[in-house]
């Protein structure tokens, strides 16, 4: 047996079986990219008389479930909002808990991410994060960069407006040095400066816990996304909730500003 075959066998043997796509869903009309605002961790904990941070810990389990299902069902990209530029305003204890949680989860899950061929990237101003977390992020990004599976983007210290300002600044700098003609700035040139460059725009945005806001998330990229809002709190988000979101998406007629539905 050749060496590469033995390695493949090993990977397959250690991988959990793929979750089948529920029959209710049309495999030909799944979104290519799902974005998620994971909201309601604090309320989930409060309902159980637990400290808020327990909600975040349980939220990690919901995230792992969602990533695995999206990956198994062939969804190309999952982008989640883990920490916004505004989240620094939370109590210091909660912020440090979250930073430590990100570190622990990343260190613990890296091997599984590699095994499952997940390509992980972190979007946001990463230099403001604790040094240990930055190192783990660099390592995880590098180690999974060539993976061929789902693109898993974790928005951390991310703000949509800040991302747009940075893109404008980068273009302005190129104009100032004479390497870019202002007339050449079109939507594609602008999108190429965003942290999501190279990723298709999300087709579906899911927001949990019943809030009707986009909270400074992917302001450019969500221009034509279908929005699914559920009352389910993020730690309770499970396969049934994901199926409901995908069914809702499949029942929409996407017209992108035109009059005729556009097929995915
Ligand atoms: C919002 O709920 C949730 C967050 C700000 C944190 C989400 C983070 C995780 C689920 C962990 C992700 C881990 C990794 C490694 C990516 P909330 O606190 O605003 O809930 P509330 O609105 O009920 O108060």
């Amino acid at each position: 047996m050749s060496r590469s075959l033995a390695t493949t066998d090993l990977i397959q043997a250690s991988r959990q079986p793929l979750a089948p796509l529920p029959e209710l869903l049309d495999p030909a009309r799944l979104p290519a990219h799902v974005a998620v605002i994971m909201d309601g961790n604090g309320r989930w904990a409060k309902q159980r008389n637990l400290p808020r941070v327990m909600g975040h810990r349980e939220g990690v389990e919901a995230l792992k479930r969602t990533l695995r299902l999206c990956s198994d069902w062939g969804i190309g990209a999952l982008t989640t909002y883990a920490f916004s530029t505004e989240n620094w305003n939370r109590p210091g204890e909660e912020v440090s808990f979250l930073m430590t949680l990100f570190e622990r989860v990343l260190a613990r899950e890296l091997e599984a991410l590699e095994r499952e061929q997940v390509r992980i990237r972190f979007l946001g101003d990463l230099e403001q994060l604790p040094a240990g977390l930055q190192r783990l992020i660099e390592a995880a990004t590098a180690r999974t960069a060539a993976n061929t599976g789902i693109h898993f983007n974790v928005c951390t210290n991310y703000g949509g407006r800040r991302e747009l300002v940075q893109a404008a600044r980068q273009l302005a700098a190129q104009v100032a040095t004479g390497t870019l003609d202002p007339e050449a700035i079109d939507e594609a040139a602008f999108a190429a400066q965003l942290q999501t460059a190279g990723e298709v725009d999300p087709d579906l945005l899911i927001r949990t816990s019943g809030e009707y806001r986009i909270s400074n998330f992917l302001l450019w990229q969500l221009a034509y996304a279908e929005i699914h809002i559920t009352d389910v709190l993020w730690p309770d988000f499970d396969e049934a909730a994901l199926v409901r979101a995908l069914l809702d998406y499949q029942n929409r007629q996407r017209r992108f500003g035109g009059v005729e539905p556009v097929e995915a």
Side-chain angles (χ1 to χ4, degrees), residues 193-210:
Q193 300 300 320
L194 300 173
Q195 298 206 350
T196 46
E199 203 77 85
V200 295
D201 285 342
D203 303 292
L204 169 66
L205 169 70
I206 300 171
R207 181 167 188 147
T208 55
S209 92

Side-chain angles (χ1 to χ4, degrees), residues 37-45 52 55-63 80-84 87 90 94 98 101-106 120 122 152 154 156 207 209 211 213 233-234:
I37 301 179
M38 311 180 286
D39 198 10
N41 292 351
R43 273 163 283 175
W44 181 92
R52 288 177 54 79
H56 297 316
R57 189 180 283 179
E58 203 56 34
V60 172
E61 298 309 311
L63 182 55
T80 57
Y81 208 2
F83 194 87
S84 75
N87 284 154
R90 295 187 171 211
E94 184 173 340
L98 278 169
L101 184 71
F102 296 158
E103 282 190 35
R104 288 210 184 123
V105 172
L106 206 47
I120 192 169
F122 287 77
F152 178 36
V154 185
T156 315
R207 181 167 188 147
S209 92
E211 306 286 354
R213 291 190 286 277
L233 303 177
W234 177 249

Side-chain angles (χ1 to χ4, degrees), residues 237-259:
F237 195 81
D238 58 6
E239 177 168 346
L242 181 59
V243 169
R244 280 197 297 276
L246 294 171
L247 266 180
D248 188 14
Y249 170 79
Q250 293 194 336
N251 286 325
R252 306 280 177 93
Q253 287 200 336
R254 305 190 75 196
R255 294 195 295 270
F256 297 94
V259 287

Side-chain angles (χ1 to χ4, degrees), residues 117-143:
Q117 284 296 309
V118 174
R119 191 201 74 178
I120 192 169
R121 286 202 307 181
F122 287 77
L123 314 184
D125 277 347
L126 307 181
E127 60 281 4
Q128 283 170 18
L129 301 175
L133 178 55
Q134 286 189 49
R135 279 194 295 275
L136 278 167
I137 287 176
E138 272 171 37
T141 309
R143 276 174 62 176

Side-chain angles (χ1 to χ4, degrees), residues 99-115:
M99 295 298 150
T100 309
L101 184 71
F102 296 158
E103 282 190 35
R104 288 210 184 123
V105 172
L106 206 47
R108 198 176 62 209
E109 301 297 332
L110 183 54
E111 214 171 285
L113 293 173
E114 281 195 296
R115 194 169 58 234

